[in-house]
Amino acid sequence: MAYERTELPRAQIEAQEAVAHRIAARFAAEGRRPLALVDTYGCQQNESDSERIRGYLAEMGCGFTDDEFAADIIVVNTCAVREHAEQRVLGNVGALNHTKKAKPGQIIALCGCMVQQPHMAERVKRSYPIVNLVFGPHELWRFPELLERVLNERRRVFAVAGSEGTVTEGIPRRRDGQVKAWLSVMYGCNNFCTYCVVPYVRGRERSRRPEEILAEARELVAAGYRDITLLGQNVNSYGKDLGSGTDFAELLYRLNDIPGDWVLRFMTSHPKDATEKLFRAMAECEHCAHHLHLPVQAGSDRVLRAMNRGYTAAEYLEKVALARQYMPDLVLTTDIIVGFPGETAEEFEETLRLVETVGYDSMFTFLYSPRVGTVAAGLPDPRPKADKQRSFERLVALATDISSQRHAAYVGRTLEALAESYDASADWPLTARTRNGRLVHCKGGAALVGQFVPVRITGSTSWSLFGETV
Ligand code: SAH
Ligand code: SF4
């Protein structure tokens, strides 16, 4: 694929920050401090993007609220991966009619993957007149300029042109937490799995330079963050576009050199690009969690081929075995799609068998959802919905069973876990995560948040563990 990696000059982001400051001055001159609400749907990359939108909003002098009626600016950061996510967004945007009526000056913006699809941008234009501003993921970097246009011109602004995407550095960021942080290492996807909309809305794979990533990670550790998750649609293709020789495994080694008590996670790994070198790096880097999110999607080779996944079930199982050789304590999670067009009842049984063979610690299961413009949306799909639903329920039951068993095996052990948050009103007030990524609800005090503490596991469910700090 001929694609030239482009990095946006820093001066462009500085120009956007200048616009943000001009907006702040204007609000100050009007004697007001507008309140903003950013509502996020979908994946961690969207959560990370929302932190950048909040960063810009803070530079515009905005405060923040959770109350839609109090908000002067509402930004809805949308997802397009399944129809369900889109319906939720559209339902909630429809409900904003009430807030806008109560507060006619309210500015409503939609951004993210859903509106990057031309048919959706068109639908918002036609059917949701309350929406003032629409911008896709490629235009996020110029949010201040777009918002200023809405303020100045008092007309609707749509910035959703298609693009292969750029790498943007230096956008201000207001992080959600103080213990856990997202760190994007690359954007976009080149894989074109036949069911998936991501490559159409997020552009081509492009990596951030390792120096930028290392500098951000060092800053995070110095600021007290203890849990850093590297983000990318397929982190295993990190660096291929850089031509500098740094691949993902090498990036892990370089990050691992940052001293301190902190844990390094990443997602998502595409099985076709997961290598022995990666498993070795995970095993050798002491900061690196032994957790691999390795979406298999299906257990039938025919379906995997139709999905354009680039591996067979046997190849997948070989990689899992190899990863477990390097990391006997590996936590393995996955994503599975039930009801891909043409998947037969027998082919679905192959998924169940694969799931049993692997024994995942936890699984994210999805019913196939046709996406406009993808190859799979044009395939014959004869299996009745009710059949697919029954298969889906069987898979969920199996997944719950396996996770419950795997979690039960932790009971009685003492593990180190990072305390992430505290809620005094909860029976198990402390939420913690083991180094390898299992959620633990704990008894323990608020002062432990941000620390690694030994936790004796006393109970478990299919989703989490329970324990006491010792
Ligand atoms: N880049 C990541 C995740 C992408 S989306 C990866 O490749 O693993 C997250 C998950 O949503 C996918 O792993 C897949 O299981 C699911 N998904 C994507 N498109 C879907 C669709 N059209 N219908 C149902 N599930 C889908
Ligand atoms: Fe979608 Fe496949 Fe890319 Fe993941 S790897 S984002 S599933 S196209």
Side-chain angles (χ1 to χ4, degrees):
M1 215 165 300
Y3 159 67
E4 201 60 38
R5 176 184 183 281
T6 43
E7 196 164 318
L8 207 70
R10 286 254 177 176
Q12 299 244 35
I13 301 300
E14 283 157 18
Q16 292 298 321
E17 292 192 272
V19 176
H21 296 145
R22 193 156 70 214
I23 294 174
R26 164 192 198 139
F27 289 148
E30 291 166 7
R32 63 195 194 110
R33 181 161 195 255
L35 293 176
L37 185 160
V38 181
D39 193 10
T40 310
Y41 294 77
C43 65
Q44 292 85 355
Q45 185 55 53
N46 258 17
E47 287 179 29
S48 174
D49 284 347
S50 286
E51 291 180 344
R52 302 201 288 176
I53 292 165
R54 286 199 193 90
Y56 270 143
L57 285 164
E59 292 206 344
M60 293 173 201
C62 294
F64 293 91
T65 177
D66 291 330
D67 177 358
E68 287 162 356
F69 284 92
D72 300 283
I73 302 171
I74 296 183
V75 183
V76 184
N77 191 1
T78 65
C79 172
V81 158
R82 282 168 296 275
E83 192 189 358
H84 178 69
E86 293 186 330
Q87 280 168 348
R88 274 177 52 221
V89 167
L90 292 175
N92 289 348
V93 171
L96 294 179
N97 268 310
H98 300 293
T99 63
K100 188 110 173 183
K101 210 167 261 162
K103 205 174 177 124
Q106 189 175 56
I107 292 174
I108 298 176
L110 284 191
C111 65
C113 293
M114 184 182 96
V115 294
Q116 186 63 51
Q117 306 170 99
H119 73 282
M120 272 297 176
E122 197 45 47
R123 183 161 167 196
V124 171
K125 200 176 260 173
R126 243 191 1 255
S127 310
Y128 294 82
I130 58 165
V131 174
N132 306 84
L133 168 61
V134 173
F135 59 100
H138 302 304
E139 318 278 347
L140 187 155
W141 64 274
R142 58 193 194 104
F143 171 52
E145 170 200 332
L146 298 171
L147 190 78
E148 192 181 49
R149 266 170 55 195
V150 173
L151 291 169
N152 285 346
E153 301 169 20
R154 283 278 147 201
R155 65 179 181 85
R156 306 175 79 197
V157 173
F158 281 70
V160 288
S163 164
E164 293 184 323
T166 55
V167 173
T168 49
E169 296 292 352
I171 297 179
R173 183 186 287 275
R174 224 179 104 102
R175 293 193 182 269
D176 291 337
Q178 270 133 31
V179 179
K180 289 191 338 177
W182 309 121
L183 205 179
S184 296
V185 299
M186 60 187 302
Y187 308 100
C189 182
N190 290 354
N191 288 317
F192 288 93
C193 301
T194 54
Y195 50 80
C196 186
V197 74
V198 170
Y200 299 90
V201 292
R202 285 275 177 184
R204 297 291 63 75
E205 279 175 3
R206 51 217 189 268
S207 306
R208 294 179 69 194
R209 281 181 286 118
E211 306 77 58
E212 300 279 0
I213 296 167
L214 284 158
E216 190 172 339
R218 275 190 213 103
E219 263 171 44
L220 287 169
V221 173
Y225 287 91
R226 293 286 167 257
D227 180 317
I228 298 179
T229 303
L230 309 181
L231 297 181
Q233 293 299 341
N234 174 14
V235 291
N236 300 336
S237 31
Y238 174 79
K240 283 184 184 164
D241 57 325
L242 286 171
S244 66
T246 304
D247 63 13
F248 187 63
E250 277 146 31
L251 184 67
L252 290 181
Y253 284 112
R254 289 176 71 178
L255 285 162
N256 192 56
D257 287 338
I258 300 174
D261 200 7
W262 62 284
V263 63
L264 180 59
R265 311 184 192 284
F266 58 85
M267 68 190 320
T268 295
S269 286
H270 195 302
K272 79 173 162 56
D273 302 317
T275 58
E276 182 162 8
K277 185 175 177 191
L278 170 71
F279 305 148
R280 190 181 307 122
M282 289 174 73
E284 287 178 357
C285 292
E286 64 274 15
H287 288 295
C288 201
H290 293 177
H291 171 204
L292 206 49
H293 182 63
L294 201 62
V296 67
Q297 312 297 1
S300 141
D301 288 343
R302 193 204 61 81
V303 174
L304 287 169
R305 217 169 25 249
M307 288 176 162
N308 190 32
R309 288 293 287 177
Y311 52 84
T312 62
E315 284 162 353
Y316 181 90
L317 292 172
E318 269 170 38
K319 296 217 175 170
V320 167
L322 189 60
R324 281 178 166 158
Q325 260 173 40
Y326 278 94
M327 294 166 282
D329 60 346
L330 181 69
V331 167
L332 200 68
T333 57
T334 201
D335 295 344
I336 290 185
I337 297 177
V338 176
F340 182 81
E343 183 183 61
T344 63
E346 295 76 56
E347 286 166 341
F348 170 71
E349 297 296 323
E350 295 183 64
T351 297
L352 292 180
R353 280 199 290 279
L354 181 136
V355 164
E356 256 165 344
T357 307
V358 173
Y360 292 103
D361 292 85
S362 68
M363 293 172 37
F364 300 89
T365 47
F366 308 104
L367 263 176
Y368 169 73
S369 167
R371 306 285 67 211
V372 172
T374 60
V375 172
L379 296 176
D381 191 3
R383 201 160 171 234
K385 213 162 175 205
D387 270 17
K388 292 187 181 185
Q389 182 65 34
R390 267 192 299 277
S391 294
F392 181 76
E393 281 157 22
R394 280 180 65 202
L395 179 63
V396 171
L398 177 64
T400 308
D401 237 37
I402 296 174
S403 307
S404 304
Q405 279 173 35
R406 293 189 73 87
H407 282 162
Y410 283 88
V411 175
R413 291 174 61 192
T414 298
L415 297 170
E416 209 184 20
L418 173 62
E420 291 177 353
S421 61
Y422 182 82
D423 172 5
S425 66
D427 287 346
W428 303 83
L430 212 52
T431 299
R433 202 169 285 275
T434 69
R435 287 217 178 239
N436 295 341
R438 297 292 77 203
L439 191 65
V440 196
H441 300 289
C442 296
K443 306 267 186 198
L448 297 174
V449 171
Q451 293 183 38
F452 289 94
V453 284
V455 175
R456 197 170 59 82
I457 306 299
T458 55
S460 70
T461 64
S462 63
W463 267 104
S464 61
L465 304 171
F466 293 85
E468 274 156 27
T469 53
V470 292

